[in-house]
């Protein structure tokens, strides 16, 4: 992630796919009005023309069973309709089009988030006096039945039906909007509001970030975003947030501020990042600005960053060849939750996030306002090292954020838990967008030793962090922790295996990162292999010696290992070596062969970057 720099464009090669560097940038509202809204209009015009025959970049969008699509179409159409003057000939076209598409899709699957998008659109149309013109009486009757939070929440105890915890906010939003539409009384939304806050209290603990699991320790983009989503839904539906919502929101602000940059890049680890790793900053920061959580200077800087995020979306994420957001092709990769069959819906929901957060900035007085010229200098004054606790107790969960010249580097110490612990996007490794990256839903041992035993068991140091310490020594940051068990790979959830424990030490200094693992067997272990990979945006790797690799191009210039017997490296151009922002260019594989581990063994690596 580029933290600072001069105006211009970052390297466009796969070696550093950062995208443009915005020394100066157009106001957010200008980008939305002149660049994003025309893209949205083109997609919706195509939807009106082709209806169920529509294809986007080869995908038959209505045959793909995107369970949120009807709601996303309604939400986007409402934005377009409300943005079009009544005197514009297109207004009547869009009004009739909304009615046609609503009639066409009313029987389609439309779950949870899709319900929210749809009912939010209906409420915005009602406020504008357009609901009865845009939606027929019969379709309104059907939607009143279908857009109901009770379809995914048990009414007896208000528990979610096989959904993650952030869906409490979705259920509350639907219930609140049903009340505002006159479809039910306030009892459901009031009960869900209390349930949502109680759940947030329980799983955010003393530090205010939501565990995405029931206490297992998955803290990712969602953990920081969730309170922003809650705040946004309260703003949308006119409910005053209690003081603790502002307090939790401030904690997310404090985590995000040291991650601002000139490129508009966002979260660098976890699932569903890419453009969503950037819009989470929009949602949290605009909610914080609306609710008075930011200082005047922070508000100006948040607007400057939001303008860069918006510019990055149209410059970097929207593909000029297809007119669509690209998270899947030309070397990019996202997780299975956002596979390409959802292409139309992803375009529409992303556009909606940009449009409504832009409206909030406009309401705050920033419409078409130039960004603060002191933004780059403000970035340079941000702390170089920030450590954020997520949880303490049986296990420690935390995130280190480092600013090193142009780069923002994160070190997450979390448990990916169910369905994610084995994926390297959740590994306890340094990540920096465009320089150091895992790959969505990929399991190769990126920068972490993988111990394979003769009995076939695979052990890795991924989940059970204790005694985490951070030491700042001048320009050097040192992180140490231990794990009294390995994570046994092979199951859906992390499993403790006490046959092997780990002591880990990271040293971060300008342009250099070192990691050392001391592996301690509880009993002699018959090891088949110990392996470690480094998939990099840097290219032209050359093995200089058994444990040293140099790179001819890219930001990482050298990779060294200790404790391994052999390494090989080569160019790579195939899955799974794909990052959210573009292809990884090379792969190094280092191994240590079969042996009996009867005493502690140390392995490690170091990398040097520009």
């Amino acid at each position: 992630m580029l933290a600072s720099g001069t105006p211009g464009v970052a390297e466009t090669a796969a070696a550093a796919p950062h995208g443009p560097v915005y020394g100066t940038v157009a106001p957010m509202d200008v980008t939305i009005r002149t660049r994003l809204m025309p893209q949205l209009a083109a997609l919706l015009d195509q939807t009106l023309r082709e209806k169920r025959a529509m294809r986007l970049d080869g995908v038959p969008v209505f045959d793909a069973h995107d369970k949120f699509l009807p709601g996303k179409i309604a939400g986007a159409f409402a934005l377009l309709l409300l943005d079009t003057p009544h005197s514009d000939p297109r207004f009547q076209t869009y009004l009739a089009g909304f009615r046609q598409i609503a009639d066409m899709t009313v029987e389609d699957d439309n779950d949870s988030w899709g319900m929210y998008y749809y009912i939010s659109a209906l409420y915005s149309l009602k406020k504008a006096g357009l609901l009865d013109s845009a939606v027929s009486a019969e379709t309104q009757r059907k939607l009143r039945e279908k857009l109901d939070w009770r379809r995914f929440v048990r009414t007896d105890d208000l528990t979610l039906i096989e959904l993650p915890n952030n869906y409490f906010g979705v259920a509350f939003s639907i219930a609140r909007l049903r009340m505002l539409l006159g479809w039910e009384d306030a009892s459901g939304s009031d009960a869900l509001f209390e349930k949502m806050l109680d759940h947030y209290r329980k799983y955010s603990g003393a530090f205010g970030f939501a565990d995405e699991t029931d206490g297992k320790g998955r803290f990712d983009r969602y953990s920081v975003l969730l309170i922003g989503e809650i705040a946004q839904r309260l703003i949308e539906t006119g409910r005053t947030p209690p003081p603790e919502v502002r307090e939790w929101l401030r904690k997310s602000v404090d985590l995000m501020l040291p991650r601002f940059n000139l490129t508009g890049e966002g979260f660098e680890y976890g699932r569903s990042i890419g453009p969503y790793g950037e819009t989470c900053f929009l949602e949290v920061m605009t909610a914080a600005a609306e609710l008075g959580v930011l200082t005047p200077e922070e508000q100006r800087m948040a607007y400057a960053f939001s303008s860069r995020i918006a510019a990055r979306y149209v410059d970097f994420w929207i593909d000029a060849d297809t007119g669509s957001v690209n998270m899947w092709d030309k070397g990019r990769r996202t997780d299975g939750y956002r596979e390409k069959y959802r292409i139309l819906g992803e375009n529409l929901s992303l556009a909606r996030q940009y449009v409504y957060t832009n409206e909030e900035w406009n309401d705050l007085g920033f419409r078409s306002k130039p960004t603060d010229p002191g933004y780059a200098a403000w970035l340079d004054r941000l702390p170089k090292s920030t450590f954020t606790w997520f949880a303490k107790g049986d296990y420690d969960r935390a995130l280190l954020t480092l600013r090193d010249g142009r780069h923002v580097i994160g070190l997450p110490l979390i448990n990916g838990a169910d369905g994610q612990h084995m994926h390297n996007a959740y590994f306890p490794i340094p990540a920096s967008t465009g320089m150091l990256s895992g790959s969505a839903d990929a399991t190769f041992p990126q920068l972490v030793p993988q111990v394979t035993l003769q009995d076939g068991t695979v052990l890795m140091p991924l989940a059970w962090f204790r005694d985490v310490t951070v030491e700042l020594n001048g320009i050097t940051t040192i992180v140490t922790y231990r794990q009294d068990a390995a994570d046994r790979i092979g199951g859906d959830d992390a499993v403790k295996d006490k046959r092997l424990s780990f002591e880990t030490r990271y040293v971060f200094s300008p342009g250099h990162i070192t990691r050392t693992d001391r592996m301690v067997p509880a009993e002699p272990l018959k090891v088949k292999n110990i392996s470690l990979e480094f998939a990099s945006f840097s290219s032209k790797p050359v093995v200089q010696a058994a444990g040293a690799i140099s790179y001819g191009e890219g930001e990482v210039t050298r990779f060294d290992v200790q404790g391994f017997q052999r390494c090989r490296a080569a160019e790579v151009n195939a899955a799974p070596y794909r990052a959210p922002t573009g292809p990884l260019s090379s792969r190094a594989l280092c191994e240590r062969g079969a042996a009996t581990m009867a005493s502690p063994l140390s392995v490690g690596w170091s990398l040097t970057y520009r």
Side-chain angles (χ1 to χ4, degrees):
M1 183 189 297
L2 290 177
S4 61
T6 57
V9 176
E11 303 94 324
T12 56
H18 292 287
V21 178
Y22 300 102
T24 59
V25 68
M28 185 174 182
D29 186 59
V30 172
T31 298
I32 300 304
R33 285 189 292 104
T34 65
R35 304 185 66 192
L36 181 60
M37 290 304 291
Q39 185 254 358
L40 179 61
L43 290 173
L44 294 175
D45 287 344
Q46 183 183 357
T47 306
L48 281 179
R49 288 193 313 271
E50 301 177 7
K51 296 187 172 62
R52 291 202 181 275
M54 180 180 177
R55 286 178 174 265
L56 183 57
D57 199 18
V59 176
V61 296
F62 285 101
D63 295 341
H65 306 295
D66 180 346
K67 60 185 180 179
F68 306 145
L69 185 58
K72 291 185 176 184
I73 293 173
F77 249 120
L79 292 176
L80 192 61
L81 182 59
L82 296 174
D83 187 63
T84 305
H86 288 209
S87 59
D88 190 320
R90 294 174 298 173
F91 178 80
Q92 290 299 327
T93 300
Y94 293 145
L95 190 63
F98 194 108
R99 194 178 185 98
Q100 293 169 21
I101 298 298
D103 289 344
M104 184 184 82
T105 61
V106 69
E107 300 296 345
D108 292 0
D109 289 341
N110 187 44
D111 295 347
S112 55
W113 274 109
M115 294 183 198
Y116 163 69
Y117 290 126
Y118 213 131
I119 200 167
S120 177
L122 298 182
Y123 180 56
S124 67
L125 293 174
K126 179 181 180 180
K127 289 192 296 181
L130 294 172
L131 179 57
D132 291 338
S133 299
V135 186
S136 69
E138 177 60 16
T139 296
Q140 284 190 53
R141 183 191 65 77
K142 292 179 180 179
L143 290 171
R144 179 171 180 169
E145 177 186 343
K146 290 176 175 293
L147 305 180
D148 195 331
W149 55 273
R150 298 166 185 84
R151 290 176 176 261
F152 60 94
V153 177
R154 299 178 184 91
T155 56
D156 56 345
D157 60 358
L158 295 183
T159 56
L160 295 168
I161 302 172
E162 298 182 357
L163 287 171
N165 298 332
N166 62 316
Y167 280 78
F168 278 117
V170 181
F172 160 74
S173 301
I174 294 168
R176 177 77 173 167
L177 288 164
R178 285 178 64 87
M179 185 272 292
L180 292 171
L181 283 167
W183 291 0
E184 64 177 70
D185 62 25
S187 59
S189 62
D190 288 346
L192 285 166
F193 180 73
E194 293 303 324
K195 183 75 172 183
M196 176 178 67
L197 293 187
D198 286 345
H199 192 274
Y200 198 97
R201 292 184 196 103
K202 180 177 180 181
Y203 290 109
S204 65
F207 299 100
F209 298 96
D211 187 344
E212 209 192 352
T213 66
D214 289 340
K216 295 179 180 179
R218 183 194 297 159
F219 294 92
D220 57 13
R221 160 184 94 86
Y222 288 96
S223 305
V224 183
L225 168 62
L226 182 55
I227 192 59
E229 289 184 339
I230 291 171
Q232 290 287 6
R233 303 297 84 81
L234 296 176
I235 293 168
E236 177 187 17
T237 61
R239 180 156 185 163
T240 302
E244 60 188 334
V245 168
R246 287 182 166 86
E247 293 169 5
W248 291 327
L249 190 60
R250 181 67 219 190
K251 292 177 184 294
S252 288
V253 166
D254 289 338
L255 184 149
M256 286 181 161
L257 283 173
R259 295 169 153 261
F260 282 19
N261 53 78
L262 285 175
T263 55
E265 293 169 294
F267 261 83
E268 73 285 349
Y269 78 93
R271 65 186 177 93
S272 288
I273 47 176
Y276 286 97
E278 296 156 15
T279 57
C280 68
F281 282 77
L282 290 181
E283 293 200 87
V284 169
M285 287 297 165
T286 53
E290 282 272 6
L291 296 179
V293 173
L294 303 180
T295 68
E297 181 184 52
E298 289 170 345
Q299 187 179 81
R300 295 195 308 274
M301 299 308 151
Y303 169 70
F305 190 41
S306 297
S307 295
R308 286 165 170 83
I309 293 170
R312 174 176 170 83
Y313 181 65
V314 293
D315 287 332
F316 185 79
W317 291 109
I318 294 179
D319 190 313
D321 295 334
T322 64
S324 167
V325 66
N326 174 25
M327 294 186 280
W328 311 276
D329 300 313
K330 299 181 180 179
R332 295 177 180 175
R333 178 180 170 109
T334 190
D335 53 280
Y337 178 73
R338 298 194 190 277
E339 283 291 358
K340 194 175 179 180
Y341 74 90
R342 289 176 56 175
I343 184 171
L344 178 58
E346 296 305 317
N347 276 275
L348 302 182
S349 59
L350 282 164
R352 181 182 182 275
Q353 290 184 47
Y354 285 98
V355 171
Y356 90 73
T357 54
N358 178 58
E359 290 174 351
E360 290 178 322
W361 282 121
N362 290 346
D363 291 343
L364 289 165
F366 287 89
R367 184 187 302 273
S368 301
K369 186 175 181 179
T371 61
D372 193 311
Y375 177 70
W378 177 82
L379 291 179
D380 290 336
R381 296 194 298 271
L382 290 171
K384 304 303 180 186
S385 180
T386 306
F387 193 72
T388 304
W389 284 103
F390 292 138
K392 285 183 178 181
D394 290 340
Y395 298 100
D396 293 341
R397 313 295 181 195
L399 174 65
L400 174 70
T401 300
L402 295 168
R403 301 182 69 87
D404 182 10
R406 303 183 305 162
H407 303 289
V408 174
I409 301 169
L411 176 65
L413 303 178
I414 58 175
N415 176 14
D418 299 7
Q420 295 292 348
H421 72 109
M422 74 293 282
H423 294 151
N424 57 42
Y426 282 89
F427 283 6
I429 57 176
S432 181
T433 304
M435 183 176 75
L436 301 171
S437 181
S439 185
D441 293 347
T443 60
F444 59 88
Q446 176 83 337
L447 295 175
V448 171
Q450 178 175 275
V451 180
T452 303
L453 304 183
Q454 292 288 357
D455 64 6
T457 302
V458 177
L459 305 177
M460 299 180 74
L462 301 180
W464 316 112
F465 309 102
R466 283 181 163 162
D467 299 333
V468 174
T469 65
V470 181
E471 176 186 348
L472 302 181
N473 185 4
I475 59 175
T476 299
T477 300
I478 301 169
V479 179
T480 62
Y481 55 86
R482 68 180 180 88
Q483 298 183 70
D484 58 3
D487 182 4
R488 186 188 309 150
I489 303 300
D492 186 63
D493 204 352
V495 175
K496 297 178 190 176
D497 193 315
K498 289 187 170 291
R499 287 178 291 177
L500 191 61
S501 59
F502 296 83
E503 300 165 3
T504 302
R505 175 183 173 91
Y506 273 108
V507 179
F508 298 87
S509 57
H512 197 74
I513 305 172
T514 297
R515 171 178 169 139
T516 304
D517 286 283
R518 183 172 181 263
M519 300 183 287
V520 181
E523 59 189 54
L525 295 177
K526 294 182 178 180
V527 175
K528 181 179 181 180
N529 190 29
I530 302 175
S531 61
L532 177 145
E533 293 190 31
F534 176 44
S536 175
F537 292 103
S538 292
S539 59
K540 298 183 180 179
V542 176
V543 179
Q544 304 284 0
I549 299 165
S550 64
Y551 296 89
E553 293 183 0
E555 291 178 325
V556 174
T557 59
R558 186 177 176 90
F559 181 65
D560 296 88
V561 299
Q562 302 81 41
F564 293 89
Q565 296 169 340
R566 56 189 177 273
C567 290
R568 60 182 185 270
E571 302 283 327
V572 65
N573 185 25
Y577 299 99
R578 300 278 191 261
T581 57
L584 298 166
S585 297
S586 62
R587 170 185 179 249
L589 172 63
C590 299
E591 296 178 295
R592 182 184 179 97
T596 297
M597 189 191 305
S599 59
L601 173 68
S602 292
V603 298
W605 55 261
S606 62
L607 60 83
T608 304
Y609 57 90
R610 302 181 198 277

